[in-house]
Amino acid sequence: MLGGPIGSGKTNSLMGSYSLKLGEAVLRSRTRNAQKSARIEADIANRIKSEFISNMSHELRTPLNTVIGFSKLLADHDRRPLPQKDIVEYAQLIQDASSNLLTIINDILDISKIQSGHFRLNWQEANLDEILESVTSQYRMLADEAGIALDLDYGERAIVIRGDAQKVRQVFGNLVGNAIKFTERGGNVVVSAREMADESIKVVIADTGVGMDMQEIDVALSPFGQVDGKRTRWREGTGLGLPIAKALIELHGGTLVIESAKGSGTTVCVTFPPPSMLEMMRHDLGLKPKRG
Ligand SMILES: Nc1ncnc2c1ncn2[C@@H]1O[C@H](COP(=O)(O)OP(=O)(O)O)[C@@H](O)[C@H]1O
Ligand SMILES: [Mg+2]
């Protein structure tokens, strides 16, 4: 029978119409599934949107209320004189709240530029050890107040990277800030940086804090995603830091990977590619050829 006709004409035509019907049923079910998943996606998008609006309103309103409240007290100074030390303190509070507001607004602008592919890095040579020194000293007081040991270790040699120094600083500021924010009193945060044998640069930020499970890591990496609403609300934040950090590192040709387990701390590992690989990715990264 090999090579001969399979079945009679009648069975063939029956099979033909059966497979036609099956095809139609598959198509119908695919369309139904597509409609269903489009509906689910729209639901998720709506939920994220409303969570975003309520989070954002809170994040924007808190510093704005500070600005309005304390500037009103200052403006009333002629009628209700304030002691000199209060004037200085109120001005300081207004300054802190406004710079907090500016950070939030810049984050929103960054994420929308990144998402639309319009974000451009200001490429230059930068000393990573200096950036990490400055970030850790910025957080030293906060860590001391929170009873958390903060250590930096970058070995003996200066570590030079090619990238946008200001943005790299922003990334590590956020990662170190998170590590402190989500670690309990008595815990520790260690930042270490090394040049690897293949000339890539690896920076690890390890904390002994609350940690996250796999699903929570996914949430944390998505824009506006915060793992534990209550805890984060208490700690403040927009949930934009991590997705921006990851996107910025990827714009540098690098990677940002989070390893964590609930209750046993978090390790964020950032790598910058070796110069030879950066050279190969030059076109994709929008990096201009070196002059001279
Ligand atoms: N080191 C960490 N340990 C535990 N949870 C973390 C850590 N870093 C980030 N997270 C979780 O990921 C969420 C998102 O972080 P991020 O994007 O920086 O936003 P934000 O700091 O504004 O909350 C945090 O709200 C927190 O739930
Ligand atoms: Mg953060």
Side-chain angles (χ1 to χ4, degrees), residues 138-176:
Q138 181 199 337
Y139 279 99
R140 177 80 50 210
M141 211 163 81
L142 192 71
D144 286 349
E145 276 170 9
I148 295 166
L150 172 62
D151 290 310
L152 169 63
D153 162 28
Y154 52 77
E156 309 284 293
R157 293 197 304 148
I159 301 176
V160 179
I161 52 161
R162 252 177 94 57
D164 188 325
Q166 203 198 339
K167 294 296 160 192
V168 171
R169 197 179 187 292
Q170 177 183 334
V171 168
F172 290 114
N174 189 273
L175 296 178
V176 173

mmCIF file of all heavy atoms in Angstrom, residues 138-176:
data_model
loop_
_atom_site.group_PDB
_atom_site.id
_atom_site.type_symbol
_atom_site.label_atom_id
_atom_site.label_comp_id
_atom_site.label_asym_id
_atom_site.label_seq_id
_atom_site.Cartn_x
_atom_site.Cartn_y
_atom_site.Cartn_z
ATOM 1 N N GLN A 138 26.769 59.538 50.204
ATOM 2 C CA GLN A 138 25.458 60.210 50.240
ATOM 3 C C GLN A 138 24.485 59.453 51.160
ATOM 4 O O GLN A 138 23.646 60.052 51.817
ATOM 5 C CB GLN A 138 24.910 60.274 48.811
ATOM 6 C CG GLN A 138 23.566 60.980 48.692
ATOM 7 C CD GLN A 138 22.854 60.612 47.397
ATOM 8 O OE1 GLN A 138 23.480 60.202 46.410
ATOM 9 N NE2 GLN A 138 21.546 60.749 47.402
ATOM 10 N N TYR A 139 24.610 58.116 51.182
ATOM 11 C CA TYR A 139 23.663 57.311 51.968
ATOM 12 C C TYR A 139 24.173 56.960 53.359
ATOM 13 O O TYR A 139 23.481 56.316 54.134
ATOM 14 C CB TYR A 139 23.311 56.021 51.220
ATOM 15 C CG TYR A 139 22.260 56.250 50.170
ATOM 16 C CD1 TYR A 139 22.610 56.408 48.837
ATOM 17 C CD2 TYR A 139 20.916 56.326 50.527
ATOM 18 C CE1 TYR A 139 21.644 56.642 47.875
ATOM 19 C CE2 TYR A 139 19.943 56.563 49.575
ATOM 20 C CZ TYR A 139 20.315 56.718 48.252
ATOM 21 O OH TYR A 139 19.364 56.952 47.307
ATOM 22 N N ARG A 140 25.411 57.369 53.664
ATOM 23 C CA ARG A 140 26.031 56.985 54.935
ATOM 24 C C ARG A 140 25.175 57.380 56.132
ATOM 25 O O ARG A 140 24.905 56.571 57.018
ATOM 26 C CB ARG A 140 27.428 57.644 55.017
ATOM 27 C CG ARG A 140 28.196 57.425 56.278
ATOM 28 C CD ARG A 140 28.897 56.100 56.350
ATOM 29 N NE ARG A 140 29.683 55.810 55.152
ATOM 30 C CZ ARG A 140 29.899 54.585 54.698
ATOM 31 N NH1 ARG A 140 29.368 53.552 55.326
ATOM 32 N NH2 ARG A 140 30.612 54.390 53.616
ATOM 33 N N MET A 141 24.693 58.642 56.121
ATOM 34 C CA MET A 141 23.954 59.131 57.280
ATOM 35 C C MET A 141 22.650 58.348 57.456
ATOM 36 O O MET A 141 22.302 57.946 58.559
ATOM 37 C CB MET A 141 23.651 60.615 57.125
ATOM 38 C CG MET A 141 23.608 61.334 58.447
ATOM 39 S SD MET A 141 23.740 63.103 58.233
ATOM 40 C CE MET A 141 22.048 63.491 57.811
ATOM 41 N N LEU A 142 21.957 58.119 56.320
ATOM 42 C CA LEU A 142 20.696 57.378 56.362
ATOM 43 C C LEU A 142 20.919 55.978 56.933
ATOM 44 O O LEU A 142 20.153 55.501 57.772
ATOM 45 C CB LEU A 142 20.124 57.290 54.940
ATOM 46 C CG LEU A 142 18.693 56.804 54.821
ATOM 47 C CD1 LEU A 142 17.739 57.860 55.342
ATOM 48 C CD2 LEU A 142 18.372 56.484 53.357
ATOM 49 N N ALA A 143 22.013 55.339 56.463
ATOM 50 C CA ALA A 143 22.321 53.984 56.928
ATOM 51 C C ALA A 143 22.619 54.000 58.427
ATOM 52 O O ALA A 143 22.108 53.163 59.176
ATOM 53 C CB ALA A 143 23.502 53.418 56.154
ATOM 54 N N ASP A 144 23.417 54.996 58.879
ATOM 55 C CA ASP A 144 23.743 55.108 60.307
ATOM 56 C C ASP A 144 22.469 55.259 61.124
ATOM 57 O O ASP A 144 22.277 54.577 62.134
ATOM 58 C CB ASP A 144 24.660 56.317 60.560
ATOM 59 C CG ASP A 144 26.081 56.046 60.084
ATOM 60 O OD1 ASP A 144 26.368 54.866 59.764
ATOM 61 O OD2 ASP A 144 26.883 56.998 60.016
ATOM 62 N N GLU A 145 21.600 56.165 60.655
ATOM 63 C CA GLU A 145 20.350 56.401 61.399
ATOM 64 C C GLU A 145 19.497 55.141 61.463
ATOM 65 O O GLU A 145 18.826 54.880 62.450
ATOM 66 C CB GLU A 145 19.536 57.512 60.721
ATOM 67 C CG GLU A 145 19.966 58.906 61.137
ATOM 68 C CD GLU A 145 19.312 59.977 60.279
ATOM 69 O OE1 GLU A 145 18.400 59.642 59.483
ATOM 70 O OE2 GLU A 145 19.728 61.133 60.398
ATOM 71 N N ALA A 146 19.544 54.331 60.372
ATOM 72 C CA ALA A 146 18.717 53.124 60.318
ATOM 73 C C ALA A 146 19.410 51.939 60.994
ATOM 74 O O ALA A 146 18.867 50.836 61.030
ATOM 75 C CB ALA A 146 18.393 52.783 58.867
ATOM 76 N N GLY A 147 20.614 52.167 61.519
ATOM 77 C CA GLY A 147 21.351 51.099 62.201
ATOM 78 C C GLY A 147 21.803 50.005 61.239
ATOM 79 O O GLY A 147 21.781 48.822 61.570
ATOM 80 N N ILE A 148 22.195 50.417 60.016
ATOM 81 C CA ILE A 148 22.620 49.439 59.011
ATOM 82 C C ILE A 148 24.081 49.723 58.633
ATOM 83 O O ILE A 148 24.447 50.875 58.388
ATOM 84 C CB ILE A 148 21.717 49.545 57.752
ATOM 85 C CG1 ILE A 148 20.283 49.150 58.115
ATOM 86 C CG2 ILE A 148 22.250 48.684 56.607
ATOM 87 C CD1 ILE A 148 19.271 49.534 57.079
ATOM 88 N N ALA A 149 24.899 48.670 58.610
ATOM 89 C CA ALA A 149 26.301 48.855 58.213
ATOM 90 C C ALA A 149 26.362 48.934 56.690
ATOM 91 O O ALA A 149 25.791 48.082 56.006
ATOM 92 C CB ALA A 149 27.127 47.679 58.714
ATOM 93 N N LEU A 150 27.022 49.958 56.171
ATOM 94 C CA LEU A 150 27.124 50.138 54.714
ATOM 95 C C LEU A 150 28.597 50.106 54.321
ATOM 96 O O LEU A 150 29.386 50.939 54.776
ATOM 97 C CB LEU A 150 26.471 51.480 54.322
ATOM 98 C CG LEU A 150 26.638 51.958 52.892
ATOM 99 C CD1 LEU A 150 26.012 50.969 51.903
ATOM 100 C CD2 LEU A 150 25.987 53.342 52.712
ATOM 101 N N ASP A 151 28.992 49.116 53.514
ATOM 102 C CA ASP A 151 30.409 48.982 53.142
ATOM 103 C C ASP A 151 30.592 49.023 51.639
ATOM 104 O O ASP A 151 29.756 48.518 50.887
ATOM 105 C CB ASP A 151 30.966 47.648 53.662
ATOM 106 C CG ASP A 151 31.089 47.667 55.164
ATOM 107 O OD1 ASP A 151 31.667 48.635 55.683
ATOM 108 O OD2 ASP A 151 30.551 46.741 55.801
ATOM 109 N N LEU A 152 31.726 49.614 51.251
ATOM 110 C CA LEU A 152 32.071 49.678 49.819
ATOM 111 C C LEU A 152 33.429 49.032 49.612
ATOM 112 O O LEU A 152 34.372 49.286 50.362
ATOM 113 C CB LEU A 152 32.100 51.141 49.353
ATOM 114 C CG LEU A 152 32.697 51.396 47.965
ATOM 115 C CD1 LEU A 152 31.865 50.714 46.882
ATOM 116 C CD2 LEU A 152 32.773 52.895 47.688
ATOM 117 N N ASP A 153 33.530 48.182 48.596
ATOM 118 C CA ASP A 153 34.798 47.511 48.324
ATOM 119 C C ASP A 153 35.010 47.458 46.818
ATOM 120 O O ASP A 153 34.233 46.832 46.095
ATOM 121 C CB ASP A 153 34.717 46.091 48.932
ATOM 122 C CG ASP A 153 35.769 45.162 48.356
ATOM 123 O OD1 ASP A 153 36.839 45.666 47.950
ATOM 124 O OD2 ASP A 153 35.514 43.936 48.306
ATOM 125 N N TYR A 154 36.054 48.176 46.316
ATOM 126 C CA TYR A 154 36.302 48.119 44.869
ATOM 127 C C TYR A 154 37.743 47.733 44.554
ATOM 128 O O TYR A 154 38.249 47.996 43.452
ATOM 129 C CB TYR A 154 35.911 49.428 44.158
ATOM 130 C CG TYR A 154 36.505 50.684 44.767
ATOM 131 C CD1 TYR A 154 37.831 51.043 44.552
ATOM 132 C CD2 TYR A 154 35.708 51.502 45.552
ATOM 133 C CE1 TYR A 154 38.353 52.185 45.104
ATOM 134 C CE2 TYR A 154 36.227 52.648 46.118
ATOM 135 C CZ TYR A 154 37.541 52.990 45.884
ATOM 136 O OH TYR A 154 38.063 54.110 46.452
ATOM 137 N N GLY A 155 38.369 47.099 45.527
ATOM 138 C CA GLY A 155 39.725 46.633 45.265
ATOM 139 C C GLY A 155 40.724 47.770 45.223
ATOM 140 O O GLY A 155 40.460 48.859 45.727
ATOM 141 N N GLU A 156 41.857 47.505 44.580
ATOM 142 C CA GLU A 156 42.969 48.455 44.651
ATOM 143 C C GLU A 156 42.943 49.489 43.533
ATOM 144 O O GLU A 156 43.333 50.626 43.720
ATOM 145 C CB GLU A 156 44.317 47.693 44.540
ATOM 146 C CG GLU A 156 44.462 46.518 45.493
ATOM 147 C CD GLU A 156 44.745 46.994 46.902
ATOM 148 O OE1 GLU A 156 45.834 47.546 47.102
ATOM 149 O OE2 GLU A 156 43.874 46.821 47.777
ATOM 150 N N ARG A 157 42.460 49.054 42.360
ATOM 151 C CA ARG A 157 42.638 49.903 41.178
ATOM 152 C C ARG A 157 41.390 50.714 40.862
ATOM 153 O O ARG A 157 40.276 50.334 41.194
ATOM 154 C CB ARG A 157 42.965 49.027 39.971
ATOM 155 C CG ARG A 157 44.338 48.353 40.117
ATOM 156 C CD ARG A 157 44.834 47.842 38.814
ATOM 157 N NE ARG A 157 43.893 46.932 38.181
ATOM 158 C CZ ARG A 157 43.750 46.822 36.876
ATOM 159 N NH1 ARG A 157 44.435 47.605 36.064
ATOM 160 N NH2 ARG A 157 42.922 45.942 36.367
ATOM 161 N N ALA A 158 41.599 51.849 40.176
ATOM 162 C CA ALA A 158 40.464 52.651 39.712
ATOM 163 C C ALA A 158 39.735 51.846 38.624
ATOM 164 O O ALA A 158 40.357 51.103 37.873
ATOM 165 C CB ALA A 158 40.972 53.960 39.146
ATOM 166 N N ILE A 159 38.415 51.964 38.602
ATOM 167 C CA ILE A 159 37.637 51.228 37.605
ATOM 168 C C ILE A 159 37.004 52.221 36.626
ATOM 169 O O ILE A 159 36.179 53.046 37.014
ATOM 170 C CB ILE A 159 36.538 50.387 38.278
ATOM 171 C CG1 ILE A 159 37.179 49.394 39.259
ATOM 172 C CG2 ILE A 159 35.712 49.650 37.237
ATOM 173 C CD1 ILE A 159 36.173 48.584 40.038
ATOM 174 N N VAL A 160 37.435 52.134 35.376
ATOM 175 C CA VAL A 160 36.927 53.086 34.377
ATOM 176 C C VAL A 160 35.866 52.409 33.520
ATOM 177 O O VAL A 160 36.042 51.277 33.072
ATOM 178 C CB VAL A 160 38.093 53.594 33.482
ATOM 179 C CG1 VAL A 160 37.568 54.556 32.419
ATOM 180 C CG2 VAL A 160 39.148 54.274 34.335
ATOM 181 N N ILE A 161 34.744 53.104 33.354
ATOM 182 C CA ILE A 161 33.719 52.570 32.442
ATOM 183 C C ILE A 161 33.413 53.609 31.373
ATOM 184 O O ILE A 161 33.723 54.795 31.546
ATOM 185 C CB ILE A 161 32.384 52.245 33.169
ATOM 186 C CG1 ILE A 161 31.915 53.457 33.980
ATOM 187 C CG2 ILE A 161 32.522 51.031 34.054
ATOM 188 C CD1 ILE A 161 30.444 53.392 34.337
ATOM 189 N N ARG A 162 32.830 53.145 30.273
ATOM 190 C CA ARG A 162 32.314 54.095 29.292
ATOM 191 C C ARG A 162 30.807 54.150 29.493
ATOM 192 O O ARG A 162 30.130 53.120 29.490
ATOM 193 C CB ARG A 162 32.657 53.635 27.875
ATOM 194 C CG ARG A 162 33.742 54.520 27.263
ATOM 195 C CD ARG A 162 34.156 54.079 25.912
ATOM 196 N NE ARG A 162 33.434 54.752 24.833
ATOM 197 C CZ ARG A 162 33.405 56.056 24.664
ATOM 198 N NH1 ARG A 162 33.996 56.871 25.515
ATOM 199 N NH2 ARG A 162 32.770 56.573 23.625
ATOM 200 N N GLY A 163 30.311 55.372 29.709
ATOM 201 C CA GLY A 163 28.882 55.483 29.953
ATOM 202 C C GLY A 163 28.496 56.888 30.360
ATOM 203 O O GLY A 163 29.305 57.819 30.266
ATOM 204 N N ASP A 164 27.266 57.018 30.801
ATOM 205 C CA ASP A 164 26.724 58.309 31.207
ATOM 206 C C ASP A 164 26.849 58.395 32.737
ATOM 207 O O ASP A 164 26.047 57.808 33.472
ATOM 208 C CB ASP A 164 25.249 58.366 30.764
ATOM 209 C CG ASP A 164 24.645 59.739 30.954
ATOM 210 O OD1 ASP A 164 25.017 60.414 31.937
ATOM 211 O OD2 ASP A 164 23.805 60.121 30.122
ATOM 212 N N ALA A 165 27.899 59.141 33.191
ATOM 213 C CA ALA A 165 28.216 59.157 34.622
ATOM 214 C C ALA A 165 26.996 59.520 35.471
ATOM 215 O O ALA A 165 26.737 58.882 36.501
ATOM 216 C CB ALA A 165 29.340 60.146 34.885
ATOM 217 N N GLN A 166 26.244 60.513 35.022
ATOM 218 C CA GLN A 166 25.107 60.976 35.827
ATOM 219 C C GLN A 166 24.051 59.872 35.954
ATOM 220 O O GLN A 166 23.484 59.656 37.021
ATOM 221 C CB GLN A 166 24.510 62.195 35.130
ATOM 222 C CG GLN A 166 23.743 63.083 36.066
ATOM 223 C CD GLN A 166 22.817 64.006 35.288
ATOM 224 O OE1 GLN A 166 23.013 64.260 34.098
ATOM 225 N NE2 GLN A 166 21.798 64.483 35.960
ATOM 226 N N LYS A 167 23.817 59.165 34.861
ATOM 227 C CA LYS A 167 22.805 58.106 34.874
ATOM 228 C C LYS A 167 23.276 56.890 35.671
ATOM 229 O O LYS A 167 22.496 56.250 36.361
ATOM 230 C CB LYS A 167 22.438 57.691 33.436
ATOM 231 C CG LYS A 167 21.740 58.796 32.667
ATOM 232 C CD LYS A 167 20.411 59.108 33.313
ATOM 233 C CE LYS A 167 19.909 60.485 32.923
ATOM 234 N NZ LYS A 167 18.769 60.913 33.757
ATOM 235 N N VAL A 168 24.584 56.584 35.551
ATOM 236 C CA VAL A 168 25.142 55.458 36.315
ATOM 237 C C VAL A 168 25.029 55.764 37.816
ATOM 238 O O VAL A 168 24.669 54.908 38.622
ATOM 239 C CB VAL A 168 26.610 55.210 35.909
ATOM 240 C CG1 VAL A 168 27.277 54.209 36.837
ATOM 241 C CG2 VAL A 168 26.670 54.707 34.470
ATOM 242 N N ARG A 169 25.259 57.018 38.153
ATOM 243 C CA ARG A 169 25.135 57.449 39.541
ATOM 244 C C ARG A 169 23.687 57.286 40.008
ATOM 245 O O ARG A 169 23.416 56.812 41.102
ATOM 246 C CB ARG A 169 25.559 58.919 39.613
ATOM 247 C CG ARG A 169 25.865 59.379 40.973
ATOM 248 C CD ARG A 169 26.302 60.843 40.989
ATOM 249 N NE ARG A 169 26.744 61.166 42.328
ATOM 250 C CZ ARG A 169 25.929 61.225 43.364
ATOM 251 N NH1 ARG A 169 24.649 61.026 43.223
ATOM 252 N NH2 ARG A 169 26.403 61.488 44.568
ATOM 253 N N GLN A 170 22.773 57.678 39.142
ATOM 254 C CA GLN A 170 21.344 57.544 39.464
ATOM 255 C C GLN A 170 20.976 56.074 39.730
ATOM 256 O O GLN A 170 20.275 55.762 40.679
ATOM 257 C CB GLN A 170 20.520 58.107 38.285
ATOM 258 C CG GLN A 170 19.030 57.965 38.455
ATOM 259 C CD GLN A 170 18.270 58.472 37.225
ATOM 260 O OE1 GLN A 170 18.748 59.322 36.481
ATOM 261 N NE2 GLN A 170 17.081 57.942 37.000
ATOM 262 N N VAL A 171 21.486 55.180 38.870
ATOM 263 C CA VAL A 171 21.199 53.747 39.023
ATOM 264 C C VAL A 171 21.684 53.245 40.386
ATOM 265 O O VAL A 171 20.932 52.653 41.155
ATOM 266 C CB VAL A 171 21.880 52.924 37.902
ATOM 267 C CG1 VAL A 171 21.840 51.438 38.219
ATOM 268 C CG2 VAL A 171 21.217 53.212 36.558
ATOM 269 N N PHE A 172 22.958 53.522 40.699
ATOM 270 C CA PHE A 172 23.501 52.982 41.951
ATOM 271 C C PHE A 172 22.892 53.683 43.166
ATOM 272 O O PHE A 172 22.724 53.063 44.211
ATOM 273 C CB PHE A 172 25.027 53.007 41.946
ATOM 274 C CG PHE A 172 25.575 51.992 40.980
ATOM 275 C CD1 PHE A 172 26.273 52.370 39.846
ATOM 276 C CD2 PHE A 172 25.319 50.641 41.188
ATOM 277 C CE1 PHE A 172 26.720 51.432 38.936
ATOM 278 C CE2 PHE A 172 25.762 49.693 40.282
ATOM 279 C CZ PHE A 172 26.459 50.091 39.154
ATOM 280 N N GLY A 173 22.545 54.967 42.987
ATOM 281 C CA GLY A 173 21.836 55.664 44.070
ATOM 282 C C GLY A 173 20.551 54.927 44.394
ATOM 283 O O GLY A 173 20.232 54.662 45.555
ATOM 284 N N ASN A 174 19.823 54.548 43.350
ATOM 285 C CA ASN A 174 18.561 53.857 43.585
ATOM 286 C C ASN A 174 18.770 52.482 44.213
ATOM 287 O O ASN A 174 18.068 52.088 45.138
ATOM 288 C CB ASN A 174 17.771 53.748 42.284
ATOM 289 C CG ASN A 174 16.377 53.244 42.575
ATOM 290 O OD1 ASN A 174 16.158 52.038 42.621
ATOM 291 N ND2 ASN A 174 15.466 54.153 42.866
ATOM 292 N N LEU A 175 19.765 51.747 43.705
ATOM 293 C CA LEU A 175 19.985 50.381 44.210
ATOM 294 C C LEU A 175 20.447 50.391 45.672
ATOM 295 O O LEU A 175 19.962 49.599 46.480
ATOM 296 C CB LEU A 175 20.996 49.646 43.326
ATOM 297 C CG LEU A 175 20.544 49.423 41.870
ATOM 298 C CD1 LEU A 175 21.634 48.730 41.073
ATOM 299 C CD2 LEU A 175 19.243 48.629 41.819
ATOM 300 N N VAL A 176 21.354 51.324 45.996
ATOM 301 C CA VAL A 176 21.827 51.403 47.382
ATOM 302 C C VAL A 176 20.676 51.910 48.268
ATOM 303 O O VAL A 176 20.451 51.395 49.372
ATOM 304 C CB VAL A 176 23.078 52.315 47.488
ATOM 305 C CG1 VAL A 176 23.467 52.532 48.947
ATOM 306 C CG2 VAL A 176 24.243 51.700 46.716
#
